[in-house]
Amino acid sequence: PHVRVRQVMCWKNAFWIDMVEEVAHTSLPNRSQIESRIEIFGGLFSGDSNQCVASSSMPAHNKKLVLSAKGPAAHHGTKIWKFGYRFVLDCIDHFMMSQCQSRKIIRAVVCPQCLTTSMPRNASSWTVPSFEYSGKDHMTCRHAHNTDTRLLFGCSSPETPPEDSYRDIVPMNVTKLLESVVLVGVWDDSSKQIRNIGSGFVADKRNGLIITASHVLFDMNP
């Protein structure tokens, strides 16, 4: 497979790159077909812009160069990193180090789940020195989103599934799972009886945390 740049667009403060991964055609000799598509976007935003990610506590006069990539998310975004995104980041890092030595530059990564659930400026972020990949597969942001560090840093796990798989399958003994399933009952102290009952499971044994459906605890009828 090889990567071909199909289109590059540049504006005053932004750029967009459209690339495709091509492989040999399955039925036509000497022809290729598109296997996947990767898009990379970069933009320079001021701190008071709603499009400036993770900028809620950032001074308005500061600026932030925002980079993002879109492509196949399988295998922790391996293709996104391998076919262009890492190269673009390295080029920008090299330029910033050589041309902006007199300015304070902070590199950060942003929680992708925050970007899908809130305004971009309110998203959680981590400065790179405090978030360097250290073997941990996941970390939790201040909005309680479980973030895959391998996707953010392009680090593949040794247990990466086969190429034709699109999800990580974690084997688990069913008997082990059944030990955490419990019955949840709502006790009515005035009538001295259980009013509602349902199932749940133990999420945190040490702290006594049990998760159940809301209709077990509340009357969901209008």
Side-chain angles (χ1 to χ4, degrees), residues 150-173:
R150 297 166 293 181
L151 175 63
L152 295 180
F153 283 90
C155 302
S156 297
S157 169
E159 287 106 15
T160 299
E163 282 294 321
D164 59 348
S165 173
Y166 288 93
R167 70 173 69 181
D168 291 330
I169 300 176
V170 180
M172 181 67 70
N173 191 311

PDB file of all heavy atoms in Angstrom, residues 150-173:
ATOM      1  N   ARG A 150      -3.402   5.353  23.493  1.00  0.00           N
ATOM      2  CA  ARG A 150      -2.794   4.818  22.269  1.00  0.00           C
ATOM      3  C   ARG A 150      -3.324   5.535  21.038  1.00  0.00           C
ATOM      4  O   ARG A 150      -2.591   5.741  20.069  1.00  0.00           O
ATOM      5  CB  ARG A 150      -3.053   3.308  22.186  1.00  0.00           C
ATOM      6  CG  ARG A 150      -2.411   2.518  23.318  1.00  0.00           C
ATOM      7  CD  ARG A 150      -2.960   1.116  23.408  1.00  0.00           C
ATOM      8  NE  ARG A 150      -4.371   1.135  23.808  1.00  0.00           N
ATOM      9  CZ  ARG A 150      -5.095   0.035  23.980  1.00  0.00           C
ATOM     10  NH1 ARG A 150      -4.535  -1.153  23.806  1.00  0.00           N
ATOM     11  NH2 ARG A 150      -6.361   0.117  24.331  1.00  0.00           N
ATOM     12  N   LEU A 151      -4.592   5.941  21.085  1.00  0.00           N
ATOM     13  CA  LEU A 151      -5.159   6.708  19.977  1.00  0.00           C
ATOM     14  C   LEU A 151      -4.548   8.100  19.916  1.00  0.00           C
ATOM     15  O   LEU A 151      -4.255   8.627  18.843  1.00  0.00           O
ATOM     16  CB  LEU A 151      -6.680   6.807  20.136  1.00  0.00           C
ATOM     17  CG  LEU A 151      -7.422   7.687  19.127  1.00  0.00           C
ATOM     18  CD1 LEU A 151      -7.270   7.135  17.721  1.00  0.00           C
ATOM     19  CD2 LEU A 151      -8.896   7.786  19.492  1.00  0.00           C
ATOM     20  N   LEU A 152      -4.319   8.714  21.092  1.00  0.00           N
ATOM     21  CA  LEU A 152      -3.786  10.074  21.136  1.00  0.00           C
ATOM     22  C   LEU A 152      -2.313  10.140  20.759  1.00  0.00           C
ATOM     23  O   LEU A 152      -1.842  11.159  20.274  1.00  0.00           O
ATOM     24  CB  LEU A 152      -3.990  10.667  22.529  1.00  0.00           C
ATOM     25  CG  LEU A 152      -5.436  10.881  22.980  1.00  0.00           C
ATOM     26  CD1 LEU A 152      -5.468  11.477  24.368  1.00  0.00           C
ATOM     27  CD2 LEU A 152      -6.195  11.767  22.009  1.00  0.00           C
ATOM     28  N   PHE A 153      -1.575   9.066  20.998  1.00  0.00           N
ATOM     29  CA  PHE A 153      -0.137   9.089  20.745  1.00  0.00           C
ATOM     30  C   PHE A 153       0.312   8.136  19.650  1.00  0.00           C
ATOM     31  O   PHE A 153       1.507   8.051  19.354  1.00  0.00           O
ATOM     32  CB  PHE A 153       0.633   8.784  22.028  1.00  0.00           C
ATOM     33  CG  PHE A 153       0.685   9.941  22.977  1.00  0.00           C
ATOM     34  CD1 PHE A 153      -0.297  10.107  23.937  1.00  0.00           C
ATOM     35  CD2 PHE A 153       1.686  10.887  22.887  1.00  0.00           C
ATOM     36  CE1 PHE A 153      -0.265  11.189  24.812  1.00  0.00           C
ATOM     37  CE2 PHE A 153       1.723  11.972  23.751  1.00  0.00           C
ATOM     38  CZ  PHE A 153       0.749  12.114  24.716  1.00  0.00           C
ATOM     39  N   GLY A 154      -0.618   7.394  19.059  1.00  0.00           N
ATOM     40  CA  GLY A 154      -0.246   6.485  17.981  1.00  0.00           C
ATOM     41  C   GLY A 154       0.562   5.299  18.437  1.00  0.00           C
ATOM     42  O   GLY A 154       1.386   4.781  17.678  1.00  0.00           O
ATOM     43  N   CYS A 155       0.360   4.871  19.671  1.00  0.00           N
ATOM     44  CA  CYS A 155       1.105   3.739  20.230  1.00  0.00           C
ATOM     45  C   CYS A 155       0.228   2.507  20.164  1.00  0.00           C
ATOM     46  O   CYS A 155      -0.815   2.451  20.813  1.00  0.00           O
ATOM     47  CB  CYS A 155       1.511   4.003  21.673  1.00  0.00           C
ATOM     48  SG  CYS A 155       2.517   5.495  21.876  1.00  0.00           S
ATOM     49  N   SER A 156       0.646   1.513  19.398  1.00  0.00           N
ATOM     50  CA  SER A 156      -0.128   0.292  19.259  1.00  0.00           C
ATOM     51  C   SER A 156       0.155  -0.654  20.405  1.00  0.00           C
ATOM     52  O   SER A 156       1.280  -0.756  20.876  1.00  0.00           O
ATOM     53  CB  SER A 156       0.200  -0.407  17.928  1.00  0.00           C
ATOM     54  OG  SER A 156      -0.166   0.415  16.850  1.00  0.00           O
ATOM     55  N   SER A 157      -0.871  -1.331  20.840  1.00  0.00           N
ATOM     56  CA  SER A 157      -0.723  -2.316  21.904  1.00  0.00           C
ATOM     57  C   SER A 157      -0.144  -3.606  21.351  1.00  0.00           C
ATOM     58  O   SER A 157      -0.399  -3.967  20.200  1.00  0.00           O
ATOM     59  CB  SER A 157      -2.099  -2.598  22.531  1.00  0.00           C
ATOM     60  OG  SER A 157      -2.041  -3.711  23.385  1.00  0.00           O
ATOM     61  N   PRO A 158       0.654  -4.353  22.131  1.00  0.00           N
ATOM     62  CA  PRO A 158       1.165  -5.639  21.671  1.00  0.00           C
ATOM     63  C   PRO A 158       0.055  -6.620  21.338  1.00  0.00           C
ATOM     64  O   PRO A 158       0.248  -7.527  20.554  1.00  0.00           O
ATOM     65  CB  PRO A 158       1.980  -6.148  22.876  1.00  0.00           C
ATOM     66  CG  PRO A 158       2.272  -4.947  23.695  1.00  0.00           C
ATOM     67  CD  PRO A 158       1.134  -3.999  23.468  1.00  0.00           C
ATOM     68  N   GLU A 159      -1.114  -6.416  21.967  1.00  0.00           N
ATOM     69  CA  GLU A 159      -2.227  -7.317  21.695  1.00  0.00           C
ATOM     70  C   GLU A 159      -3.166  -6.749  20.634  1.00  0.00           C
ATOM     71  O   GLU A 159      -4.355  -6.986  20.661  1.00  0.00           O
ATOM     72  CB  GLU A 159      -3.014  -7.574  22.984  1.00  0.00           C
ATOM     73  CG  GLU A 159      -2.285  -8.468  23.949  1.00  0.00           C
ATOM     74  CD  GLU A 159      -1.739  -7.708  25.129  1.00  0.00           C
ATOM     75  OE1 GLU A 159      -2.168  -6.561  25.323  1.00  0.00           O
ATOM     76  OE2 GLU A 159      -0.899  -8.266  25.842  1.00  0.00           O
ATOM     77  N   THR A 160      -2.615  -5.969  19.682  1.00  0.00           N
ATOM     78  CA  THR A 160      -3.455  -5.412  18.627  1.00  0.00           C
ATOM     79  C   THR A 160      -4.152  -6.531  17.868  1.00  0.00           C
ATOM     80  O   THR A 160      -3.511  -7.493  17.457  1.00  0.00           O
ATOM     81  CB  THR A 160      -2.603  -4.592  17.638  1.00  0.00           C
ATOM     82  OG1 THR A 160      -2.006  -3.524  18.356  1.00  0.00           O
ATOM     83  CG2 THR A 160      -3.469  -4.040  16.520  1.00  0.00           C
ATOM     84  N   PRO A 161      -5.475  -6.455  17.655  1.00  0.00           N
ATOM     85  CA  PRO A 161      -6.206  -7.535  16.990  1.00  0.00           C
ATOM     86  C   PRO A 161      -5.833  -7.639  15.526  1.00  0.00           C
ATOM     87  O   PRO A 161      -5.174  -6.761  14.974  1.00  0.00           O
ATOM     88  CB  PRO A 161      -7.678  -7.102  17.152  1.00  0.00           C
ATOM     89  CG  PRO A 161      -7.618  -5.630  17.342  1.00  0.00           C
ATOM     90  CD  PRO A 161      -6.336  -5.349  18.067  1.00  0.00           C
ATOM     91  N   PRO A 162      -6.232  -8.722  14.867  1.00  0.00           N
ATOM     92  CA  PRO A 162      -5.923  -8.900  13.439  1.00  0.00           C
ATOM     93  C   PRO A 162      -6.484  -7.761  12.610  1.00  0.00           C
ATOM     94  O   PRO A 162      -7.378  -7.039  13.030  1.00  0.00           O
ATOM     95  CB  PRO A 162      -6.611 -10.238  13.101  1.00  0.00           C
ATOM     96  CG  PRO A 162      -6.782 -10.940  14.417  1.00  0.00           C
ATOM     97  CD  PRO A 162      -6.957  -9.856  15.443  1.00  0.00           C
ATOM     98  N   GLU A 163      -5.966  -7.642  11.382  1.00  0.00           N
ATOM     99  CA  GLU A 163      -6.343  -6.533  10.517  1.00  0.00           C
ATOM    100  C   GLU A 163      -7.828  -6.524  10.186  1.00  0.00           C
ATOM    101  O   GLU A 163      -8.399  -5.484   9.900  1.00  0.00           O
ATOM    102  CB  GLU A 163      -5.543  -6.606   9.204  1.00  0.00           C
ATOM    103  CG  GLU A 163      -4.116  -6.123   9.321  1.00  0.00           C
ATOM    104  CD  GLU A 163      -4.048  -4.641   9.626  1.00  0.00           C
ATOM    105  OE1 GLU A 163      -4.860  -3.884   9.076  1.00  0.00           O
ATOM    106  OE2 GLU A 163      -3.172  -4.250  10.427  1.00  0.00           O
ATOM    107  N   ASP A 164      -8.477  -7.701  10.200  1.00  0.00           N
ATOM    108  CA  ASP A 164      -9.891  -7.740   9.830  1.00  0.00           C
ATOM    109  C   ASP A 164     -10.796  -7.548  11.041  1.00  0.00           C
ATOM    110  O   ASP A 164     -12.006  -7.702  10.961  1.00  0.00           O
ATOM    111  CB  ASP A 164     -10.228  -9.064   9.145  1.00  0.00           C
ATOM    112  CG  ASP A 164      -9.921 -10.262  10.039  1.00  0.00           C
ATOM    113  OD1 ASP A 164      -9.245 -10.068  11.067  1.00  0.00           O
ATOM    114  OD2 ASP A 164     -10.347 -11.370   9.695  1.00  0.00           O
ATOM    115  N   SER A 165     -10.217  -7.204  12.198  1.00  0.00           N
ATOM    116  CA  SER A 165     -11.014  -6.972  13.398  1.00  0.00           C
ATOM    117  C   SER A 165     -11.130  -5.485  13.662  1.00  0.00           C
ATOM    118  O   SER A 165     -10.190  -4.743  13.470  1.00  0.00           O
ATOM    119  CB  SER A 165     -10.371  -7.670  14.602  1.00  0.00           C
ATOM    120  OG  SER A 165     -11.050  -7.325  15.780  1.00  0.00           O
ATOM    121  N   TYR A 166     -12.285  -5.044  14.143  1.00  0.00           N
ATOM    122  CA  TYR A 166     -12.495  -3.621  14.372  1.00  0.00           C
ATOM    123  C   TYR A 166     -12.880  -3.317  15.814  1.00  0.00           C
ATOM    124  O   TYR A 166     -13.366  -2.258  16.119  1.00  0.00           O
ATOM    125  CB  TYR A 166     -13.569  -3.087  13.418  1.00  0.00           C
ATOM    126  CG  TYR A 166     -13.076  -3.015  12.010  1.00  0.00           C
ATOM    127  CD1 TYR A 166     -13.287  -4.092  11.153  1.00  0.00           C
ATOM    128  CD2 TYR A 166     -12.362  -1.913  11.553  1.00  0.00           C
ATOM    129  CE1 TYR A 166     -12.815  -4.046   9.855  1.00  0.00           C
ATOM    130  CE2 TYR A 166     -11.895  -1.871  10.260  1.00  0.00           C
ATOM    131  CZ  TYR A 166     -12.130  -2.931   9.415  1.00  0.00           C
ATOM    132  OH  TYR A 166     -11.657  -2.884   8.138  1.00  0.00           O
ATOM    133  N   ARG A 167     -12.627  -4.240  16.721  1.00  0.00           N
ATOM    134  CA  ARG A 167     -12.848  -3.976  18.129  1.00  0.00           C
ATOM    135  C   ARG A 167     -11.932  -4.873  18.954  1.00  0.00           C
ATOM    136  O   ARG A 167     -11.543  -5.939  18.522  1.00  0.00           O
ATOM    137  CB  ARG A 167     -14.301  -4.184  18.531  1.00  0.00           C
ATOM    138  CG  ARG A 167     -14.749  -5.643  18.517  1.00  0.00           C
ATOM    139  CD  ARG A 167     -16.140  -5.795  19.079  1.00  0.00           C
ATOM    140  NE  ARG A 167     -17.125  -5.218  18.191  1.00  0.00           N
ATOM    141  CZ  ARG A 167     -18.402  -5.213  18.475  1.00  0.00           C
ATOM    142  NH1 ARG A 167     -18.840  -5.709  19.602  1.00  0.00           N
ATOM    143  NH2 ARG A 167     -19.267  -4.691  17.619  1.00  0.00           N
ATOM    144  N   ASP A 168     -11.596  -4.376  20.121  1.00  0.00           N
ATOM    145  CA  ASP A 168     -10.788  -5.169  21.040  1.00  0.00           C
ATOM    146  C   ASP A 168     -11.708  -6.088  21.820  1.00  0.00           C
ATOM    147  O   ASP A 168     -12.689  -5.645  22.409  1.00  0.00           O
ATOM    148  CB  ASP A 168     -10.028  -4.266  22.013  1.00  0.00           C
ATOM    149  CG  ASP A 168      -8.954  -3.470  21.303  1.00  0.00           C
ATOM    150  OD1 ASP A 168      -8.438  -3.983  20.313  1.00  0.00           O
ATOM    151  OD2 ASP A 168      -8.654  -2.347  21.747  1.00  0.00           O
ATOM    152  N   ILE A 169     -11.393  -7.366  21.819  1.00  0.00           N
ATOM    153  CA  ILE A 169     -12.193  -8.342  22.534  1.00  0.00           C
ATOM    154  C   ILE A 169     -11.403  -8.802  23.751  1.00  0.00           C
ATOM    155  O   ILE A 169     -10.307  -9.352  23.630  1.00  0.00           O
ATOM    156  CB  ILE A 169     -12.544  -9.545  21.638  1.00  0.00           C
ATOM    157  CG1 ILE A 169     -13.336  -9.076  20.412  1.00  0.00           C
ATOM    158  CG2 ILE A 169     -13.329 -10.591  22.423  1.00  0.00           C
ATOM    159  CD1 ILE A 169     -13.636 -10.162  19.422  1.00  0.00           C
ATOM    160  N   VAL A 170     -11.951  -8.553  24.920  1.00  0.00           N
ATOM    161  CA  VAL A 170     -11.291  -8.950  26.161  1.00  0.00           C
ATOM    162  C   VAL A 170     -11.968 -10.210  26.684  1.00  0.00           C
ATOM    163  O   VAL A 170     -13.139 -10.173  27.059  1.00  0.00           O
ATOM    164  CB  VAL A 170     -11.371  -7.835  27.221  1.00  0.00           C
ATOM    165  CG1 VAL A 170     -10.677  -8.272  28.503  1.00  0.00           C
ATOM    166  CG2 VAL A 170     -10.766  -6.551  26.670  1.00  0.00           C
ATOM    167  N   PRO A 171     -11.289 -11.353  26.684  1.00  0.00           N
ATOM    168  CA  PRO A 171     -11.916 -12.582  27.181  1.00  0.00           C
ATOM    169  C   PRO A 171     -12.198 -12.488  28.671  1.00  0.00           C
ATOM    170  O   PRO A 171     -11.403 -11.956  29.437  1.00  0.00           O
ATOM    171  CB  PRO A 171     -10.859 -13.652  26.874  1.00  0.00           C
ATOM    172  CG  PRO A 171      -9.566 -12.914  26.769  1.00  0.00           C
ATOM    173  CD  PRO A 171      -9.911 -11.563  26.240  1.00  0.00           C
ATOM    174  N   MET A 172     -13.362 -13.009  29.083  1.00  0.00           N
ATOM    175  CA  MET A 172     -13.748 -12.955  30.484  1.00  0.00           C
ATOM    176  C   MET A 172     -14.569 -14.195  30.813  1.00  0.00           C
ATOM    177  O   MET A 172     -15.473 -14.574  30.056  1.00  0.00           O
ATOM    178  CB  MET A 172     -14.564 -11.690  30.763  1.00  0.00           C
ATOM    179  CG  MET A 172     -14.997 -11.536  32.202  1.00  0.00           C
ATOM    180  SD  MET A 172     -13.628 -11.265  33.340  1.00  0.00           S
ATOM    181  CE  MET A 172     -13.138  -9.599  32.844  1.00  0.00           C
ATOM    182  N   ASN A 173     -14.257 -14.830  31.915  1.00  0.00           N
ATOM    183  CA  ASN A 173     -14.986 -15.999  32.382  1.00  0.00           C
ATOM    184  C   ASN A 173     -16.385 -15.582  32.820  1.00  0.00           C
ATOM    185  O   ASN A 173     -16.546 -14.689  33.657  1.00  0.00           O
ATOM    186  CB  ASN A 173     -14.228 -16.648  33.544  1.00  0.00           C
ATOM    187  CG  ASN A 173     -14.787 -18.012  33.886  1.00  0.00           C
ATOM    188  OD1 ASN A 173     -15.988 -18.174  34.050  1.00  0.00           O
ATOM    189  ND2 ASN A 173     -13.909 -18.992  33.984  1.00  0.00           N
TER     190      ASN A 173
END
